[in-house]
Amino acid sequence: MKNNIVTFMACDCDYEDSEIVIFGAPFDGTVSFRPGTRFAPPVMRQESYGIETYSPYLDRDMEDYSYSDIGDLDLPFGNKERVLEMIYSQTKEILEDNKKPFMFGGEHLVTYSPVKAVFEKYPDLRVIHLDAHADLRADYMDEKFSHATVLRRIWDFLGDHRIFQFGIRSGTKEEFEFAKNHTHMNRYSLRQIDQYIEELLKYPIYLTIDLDVFDPSVFPGTGTPEPGGVNFKEFIEFSQKLKGLNIVGADVVELSPHYDHSGISSAVAVKVVREILLVMSNGYK
Amino acid sequence: MKNNIVTFMACDCDYEDSEIVIFGAPFDGTVSFRPGTRFAPPVMRQESYGIETYSPYLDRDMEDYSYSDIGDLDLPFGNKERVLEMIYSQTKEILEDNKKPFMFGGEHLVTYSPVKAVFEKYPDLRVIHLDAHADLRADYMDEKFSHATVLRRIWDFLGDHRIFQFGIRSGTKEEFEFAKNHTHMNRYSLRQIDQYIEELLKYPIYLTIDLDVFDPSVFPGTGTPEPGGVNFKEFIEFSQKLKGLNIVGADVVELSPHYDHSGISSAVAVKVVREILLVMSNGYK
Amino acid sequence: MKNNIVTFMACDCDYEDSEIVIFGAPFDGTVSFRPGTRFAPPVMRQESYGIETYSPYLDRDMEDYSYSDIGDLDLPFGNKERVLEMIYSQTKEILEDNKKPFMFGGEHLVTYSPVKAVFEKYPDLRVIHLDAHADLRADYMDEKFSHATVLRRIWDFLGDHRIFQFGIRSGTKEEFEFAKNHTHMNRYSLRQIDQYIEELLKYPIYLTIDLDVFDPSVFPGTGTPEPGGVNFKEFIEFSQKLKGLNIVGADVVELSPHYDHSGISSAVAVKVVREILLVMSNGYK
Amino acid sequence: MKNNIVTFMACDCDYEDSEIVIFGAPFDGTVSFRPGTRFAPPVMRQESYGIETYSPYLDRDMEDYSYSDIGDLDLPFGNKERVLEMIYSQTKEILEDNKKPFMFGGEHLVTYSPVKAVFEKYPDLRVIHLDAHADLRADYMDEKFSHATVLRRIWDFLGDHRIFQFGIRSGTKEEFEFAKNHTHMNRYSLRQIDQYIEELLKYPIYLTIDLDVFDPSVFPGTGTPEPGGVNFKEFIEFSQKLKGLNIVGADVVELSPHYDHSGISSAVAVKVVREILLVMSNGYK
Amino acid sequence: MKNNIVTFMACDCDYEDSEIVIFGAPFDGTVSFRPGTRFAPPVMRQESYGIETYSPYLDRDMEDYSYSDIGDLDLPFGNKERVLEMIYSQTKEILEDNKKPFMFGGEHLVTYSPVKAVFEKYPDLRVIHLDAHADLRADYMDEKFSHATVLRRIWDFLGDHRIFQFGIRSGTKEEFEFAKNHTHMNRYSLRQIDQYIEELLKYPIYLTIDLDVFDPSVFPGTGTPEPGGVNFKEFIEFSQKLKGLNIVGADVVELSPHYDHSGISSAVAVKVVREILLVMSNGYK
Amino acid sequence: MKNNIVTFMACDCDYEDSEIVIFGAPFDGTVSFRPGTRFAPPVMRQESYGIETYSPYLDRDMEDYSYSDIGDLDLPFGNKERVLEMIYSQTKEILEDNKKPFMFGGEHLVTYSPVKAVFEKYPDLRVIHLDAHADLRADYMDEKFSHATVLRRIWDFLGDHRIFQFGIRSGTKEEFEFAKNHTHMNRYSLRQIDQYIEELLKYPIYLTIDLDVFDPSVFPGTGTPEPGGVNFKEFIEFSQKLKGLNIVGADVVELSPHYDHSGISSAVAVKVVREILLVMSNGYK
């Protein structure tokens, strides 16, 4: 008789047979305003039972593809360096098994590790970055590694013009200046994706979605709500345009369930994951 | 000295003198995810005191028309069949008195009974259905009568192409397939109403509004929030187009007040009712 | 690589090696006031990570005993009869494997099935019942099987003077009358256990704890809060007196997490389970 | 066909036939900290459906006595003087019809009016006052009539040693000094009632219960929670001692439902009302 | 060593050196539905630490301008007349020091006083009014001064066609009639500002923003949520059009933090203030 | 004109003239379960306006003594070592000015620094420790400095039998074993203080109160609620026994306001501070 297994949308594929591998990185140790994203992965699994496996937007059904969910990493508390190391190792292992990693955060700093691991496998990697915040600070309160610096740290190894940012509406003046010369920064909206699609089709892609890219009306459950974001329909249009891209890794971060009193943010998070999983999937199982 | 009377927007018309009769059907017995719509009718009455009787959208005032509110049915708990029977009887009685029923749910299954009663009086009835979900399953967890099957059960007696669905964005693949051949299903929006108005003008209409047709940002207080819905302005445009239709019955269902921490869903529900009541009303009192 | 396993307090014993087997029965279909106990079992597992495995009250540590957690039953929605049947089968199986069942509810009606199964194995069974409510109605709104009748249904097969009730403070006059002749009913407190211990030592015991026996200040997260209940220290004193009893089955029911905004009810529920598990355990693993 | 009638515990006695008449005074205009008691009366009616009419504490059933509930006064907003005048008139009318008034507040200032009216009918009136706060200020922010001065204003016409205060634990030094010479003030507890019972048996009694007399753990839903209050069992003991007193009027004030997220305060309020109604009732209907 | 100073966005300019002076008017005494705006000013200060001083919309940084925050007025409770008088005196003083007042409400009635003071200094003043409600009643429940009459009271001294209203979607029929002849009323949106800009450039402007002009999805934390409002992007477009206007005073009112469970309304309020402060500022410090 | 000063209970003493100096240490960086104590100090100041300065328990009034509140330390995020260093420096400075430090946490780890500084001034220091948790782990997840190890780290420099623990009810078996030989550990209650008073009168005392020592019914607003704690009356009895002790420093930690939906925990925290401040105060100002 089996032990209690809890997976995203009850996906029951074995690790070996899966194209995409889901895991959680429940860490929020560098958050400066409201912590709580550590609670997101279990909530996302729980809430996923309320939605359908079929997407009318993509006319695809999750039951036709192969996902496994290996649960959450048991991250050592209060040790940022080892946290990043463990996430890195996990992603590395998934990539070596020729599977695609899909990570549930946690705060945005956790994105550093899978992007690094994926970059080592795909040196011509491009990153698509959805966020309210630029996350391009050189440092934050004298810390190099922080939720507010993570894209800057990724730029350190990725280099110029390989990060494509959408929905950005908050940052210091310096971050906006930096972006002008080093990333493709697009403000307030996801619609500008059109002009980059042709280029993005040429490269392997890592997609990182900071859910605070959504307007707080759509997604209140996050640590630093920034009014002026995108709505769900705009996201759906965006996600449909990703069809055909070679997305080799992805994450969805910054759901903070304790600020999500009605559960609407979890509902958004779960549907975002469904759409991205479906758009990333290549073959029927 | 009178007992404590609580009616929607303090409408004080006697039953005998009213054109439209409001009643509540506080049942949520077949809900699979989050129950709680049983609490909606009293909350809607309570919240209705916060809004004006005058609609600037329609330039009409509720005080110029005649409504009565006869309170909630005392539904026998845990007996779905008798619940449907009691709602049916209540609607039948209202119709026999040549009045129009307006029901506050409860979950969507309760819609079955008034539509049946109204259909028996108006055999050429058409149903306008606003919802996030198709509600067209043949059965749900082996149950024939469920919130997830209610439009299919209505189709059983109404037949093909008499159900006009708007805002649909969730369902199984089978439901979407079924709709292609048997209903007029319109996805994600209410705007497609334009193409049907001419036809709808010819028939008596029953209007059923599952409030989860709204985006969860607009209406968080519901059991199964589905991102990607309509906003309030789109609803107002829709409701204004109903002017001139012969709406002979209506309901508003699936408000779940315990998930409505700020009361914004109740505020939407109450204004939806006001607009529909005003657009259904024919004569000054 | 393993799938995501979630068990109570991360107990990792295999089913085969365990003395006690935990499972969830997430059903709240007959609740008349506030539903929501269906959400309890996953919340109890999640919250259990916040407490220690060591009980200073009993000077015992869960790590020294053998528990398995086989997850929640997938109960067919809206079909009370089949729900009871499935719980019965599950308990039967656990008993046949010579293990003790420990069930997480759900509403109190679910208790009917394990008590029946345990009674069939142990015909001289006694039931200890902690509750705010007598649950002794002959029927409730014409339904025989309901959260409000469950102890009466158990009495039907168990017979007179075999149910020991504690903490009772709500019921109809008829229920209190019935109790006088047919059960051992003790009001408002758990302290009266002292006078029964000698007798209870002679028989196998099923222990059912409706968590609303606690005062709502201690345990707000329940459907029908009844002021005037017991506090946690009184429960601890009670549970220590159970040492030496032959408890062959147990359940903890009526946690409704959506009314538990601060998580204090879950914290109580989880500690109640820890104490009862420890007091039921016989041998080191 | 009747309009929607909503009464406390569905009491359906006509005004004419009732011994006790319930009405609401939803006013919170002088509250200095957290307003919201204006919402209490409808919530108390709604929540009353969750409890039994039978009290095991008193072995009495509400169904055996005669109560009517005439709903809430429609108090003119922002005009304290006229509010007090209207409550006074309502109480006067009830008293002239030889019935006993039972008022649901609102804030504590509303108590002024019924005590005045009752005093005019019963010049030897005594007042029993349960509260966390002394409410004996000479004025509050230069206002004579305020929630913080109400017992002082009552003392103005009632005179020395006719107010019996219990549970008091907050006030200025001056209030505590004043009480020493002018009222019977008892701190922190209700148990001191014993020493006054003999005296109180000689006079008509008005009972005013500020629900913040309860500890905030028991009753969080109030504007100014004061730790160190009484628990529900202490209240039950207190209320049982009132048997035999000639209570000619009563009120229950200061429930603020928006701070009562789990509904446990409403549950307490409703049971307090049930117990007091039962202890005030003289004859079977 | 200094005492604890708390200012909006930690602005640390001395009063003497500041161009704009912030102060709070925490009064909600005439609110008829849900009170609580009295709690707004401290919450706005606290939440302001979560956002950046740099606005990407205006490409301006608050650190380049000079603001002081002198805290909240200590308003005498329950005395509307003196409250208005004290706010008037405070504004007068700021204006005499040749600074611009920026007030945090409180309810909308508080706007009366600064507009009066500003009008006395600038007799050709125009008022821009963002709101869901017309606030043009002649009186409200027989009260002349109320949140529902405040613009009518301002019209009393300002005269015809000097009030420019945007976003209005609720009021009595009479208010809408009144507006036709006496104000510039624009419904449902802020976009109509375009047609007035040329005229407004000629006059000193007072800008009053009732935050319920936003849709409740964007801004749930208010006393009377009115669906059908504007979103944040529409506000940003509006605010950018104000560049060049001579705004000599402003306020932001009707945030009710206790209905803002996720903090998204505070986040909106704080960004609205930032944008208006930046657009009002003339010179670098 | 002054900037906005916000102090505990509006205490307005200058630093120089104060006997006791209040400051906040808003750090929660090592919390493993639910973070959020970083938000406590501003909430405690805000809530303190709701209570009286006079304590009827001690018959003392805060207005007769001299306190200053210098606000919160601006702690560098994510750098535990520097956080502890900064708190240490602040306390050192206060002690050198011959004043007594009173710190608002934050999580319990922050207590390490003031105890160290006070110990350096008073080498015969004794520590009174109220808590649900032993906090005596040798390390926690391989970290030496953590909320779960703080008393062990204090023991490192203080030595055996100088820590007096009360209310303890959670810990590992090892912690309880350690306590037997090295501290005075008292379980579940504060009443055991009686047996130590005579000894404690001989030494300077540091008092650290982890507010989770209270039962979660009394104090839900904390990260790790542990049922079975003390109630407020028991605390009051305890605090009265401290009269005469030479308390040279104190702190109150672990209020987590986001789990305190009704504000009752803040109310407790604020009154605890008032009582301790009053009992620590020596001379009239």
Side-chain angles (χ1 to χ4, degrees), chain B residues 1-266:
Chain B
M1 199 176 281
K2 69 177 194 308
N3 274 308
N4 185 38
I5 294 177
V6 178
T7 61
F8 186 72
M9 297 192 80
C11 66
D12 55 1
C13 199
D14 281 340
Y15 176 81
E16 285 71 23
D17 301 330
S18 59
E19 179 187 355
I20 301 176
V21 178
I22 294 165
F23 70 96
F27 178 73
D28 59 7
T30 81
V31 170
S32 52
F33 202 51
R34 295 184 188 155
T37 60
R38 65 178 75 180
F39 303 114
V43 169
M44 287 169 74
R45 289 189 189 92
Q46 202 62 40
E47 291 300 301
S48 71
Y49 301 141
I51 69 164
E52 305 281 354
T53 54
Y54 173 72
S55 163
Y57 304 110
L58 295 169
D59 191 25
R60 286 185 165 195
D61 199 313
M62 284 185 66
E63 300 198 340
D64 298 330
Y65 301 90
S66 54
Y67 314 109
S68 65
D69 177 353
I70 58 171
D72 296 341
L73 293 173
D74 197 8
L75 299 172
F77 182 77
N79 190 332
K80 186 165 63 176
E81 289 72 23
R82 227 182 117 216
V83 164
L84 292 177
E85 169 61 28
M86 285 177 69
I87 302 172
Y88 172 81
S89 299
Q90 178 65 77
T91 325
K92 205 86 181 167
E93 187 179 335
I94 293 167
L95 290 164
E96 280 163 8
D97 292 333
N98 285 313
K99 298 167 187 319
K100 297 172 183 172
F102 197 114
M103 181 176 65
F104 295 173
E107 60 154 88
H108 212 163
L109 176 59
V110 297
T111 295
Y112 177 79
S113 297
V115 178
K116 187 129 191 289
V118 170
F119 169 70
E120 286 167 7
K121 181 167 181 178
Y122 303 100
D124 55 347
L125 186 73
R126 264 58 179 170
V127 169
I128 300 179
H129 171 221
L130 277 58
D131 205 328
H133 307 90
D135 287 359
L136 290 171
R137 296 190 188 216
D139 58 70
Y140 184 65
M141 298 175 88
D142 295 329
E143 297 284 315
K144 282 289 209 187
F145 283 85
S146 154
H147 69 288
T149 66
V150 61
L151 268 293
R152 181 66 170 263
R153 287 296 83 74
I154 287 171
W155 172 86
D156 285 345
F157 61 78
L158 213 58
D160 280 351
H161 309 306
R162 286 177 154 216
I163 299 171
F164 298 76
Q165 302 183 289
F166 299 92
I168 311 300
R169 57 193 180 275
S170 183
T172 62
K173 199 165 188 169
E174 291 68 29
E175 289 178 273
F176 283 95
E177 290 300 323
F178 180 87
K180 278 181 195 160
N181 299 314
H182 301 290
T183 76
H184 300 281
M185 184 194 276
N186 299 277
R187 296 184 187 189
Y188 316 139
S189 173
L190 310 179
R191 300 224 166 85
Q192 307 93 328
I193 183 74
D194 289 336
Q195 61 195 91
Y196 303 106
I197 285 291
E198 205 171 345
E199 182 178 356
L200 292 165
L201 278 164
K202 300 178 199 154
Y203 302 104
I205 304 291
Y206 188 94
L207 172 62
T208 178
I209 300 178
D210 184 328
L211 290 159
D212 68 19
V213 73
F214 286 104
D215 193 74
S217 58
V218 174
F219 196 86
T222 196
T224 312
E226 298 280 354
V230 308
N231 64 29
F232 192 76
K233 288 184 176 175
E234 191 173 342
F235 171 77
I236 288 295
E237 285 166 26
F238 171 86
S239 64
Q240 289 174 317
K241 288 171 188 162
L242 303 183
K243 273 188 286 195
L245 292 193
N246 179 24
I247 302 175
V248 295
D251 62 57
V252 167
V253 300
E254 295 286 359
L255 168 65
S256 191
H258 292 195
Y259 299 98
D260 185 37
H261 295 276
S262 296
I264 67 172
S265 312
S266 312

Side-chain angles (χ1 to χ4, degrees), chain C residues 149-167:
Chain C
T149 67
V150 62
L151 267 292
R152 181 68 170 263
R153 288 296 83 73
I154 287 170
W155 172 87
D156 285 346
F157 61 78
L158 213 57
D160 279 352
H161 309 307
R162 289 178 152 213
I163 299 172
F164 298 76
Q165 304 184 288
F166 299 92

Side-chain angles (χ1 to χ4, degrees), chain E residues 163-190:
Chain E
I163 299 171
F164 298 76
Q165 303 183 289
F166 299 92
I168 310 301
R169 57 193 181 274
S170 183
T172 62
K173 197 165 191 169
E174 292 67 31
E175 289 178 272
F176 283 95
E177 290 299 323
F178 180 86
K180 279 180 195 161
N181 299 313
H182 302 291
T183 77
H184 300 281
M185 184 195 275
N186 300 277
R187 296 185 186 187
Y188 317 138
S189 172
L190 310 179

Side-chain angles (χ1 to χ4, degrees), chain D residues 225-241:
Chain D
E226 298 280 355
V230 308
N231 63 30
F232 192 76
K233 287 184 178 175
E234 191 172 344
F235 170 78
I236 287 294
E237 286 165 25
F238 171 86
S239 63
Q240 288 174 318
K241 290 170 187 163

Side-chain angles (χ1 to χ4, degrees), chain E residues 1-7 11-16 21 42 45-46 68-72 90 93-94 97 261, chain F residues 1-7 11-16 21 42 45-46 68-72 90 93-94 97 261:
Chain E
M1 199 174 282
K2 70 176 191 313
N3 275 308
N4 185 37
I5 294 176
V6 178
T7 60
C11 67
D12 55 1
C13 199
D14 281 339
Y15 176 80
E16 286 71 23
V21 177
R45 288 188 190 92
Q46 202 63 40
S68 64
D69 177 352
I70 59 172
D72 296 342
Q90 179 64 77
E93 189 180 333
I94 292 167
D97 291 333
H261 296 275
Chain F
M1 200 175 280
K2 69 176 194 309
N3 274 309
N4 185 37
I5 293 176
V6 178
T7 61
C11 66
D12 55 1
C13 199
D14 282 339
Y15 175 81
E16 285 70 23
V21 178
R45 289 188 190 93
Q46 202 62 41
S68 65
D69 177 353
I70 59 172
D72 296 341
Q90 178 65 76
E93 188 180 336
I94 292 167
D97 292 333
H261 295 277

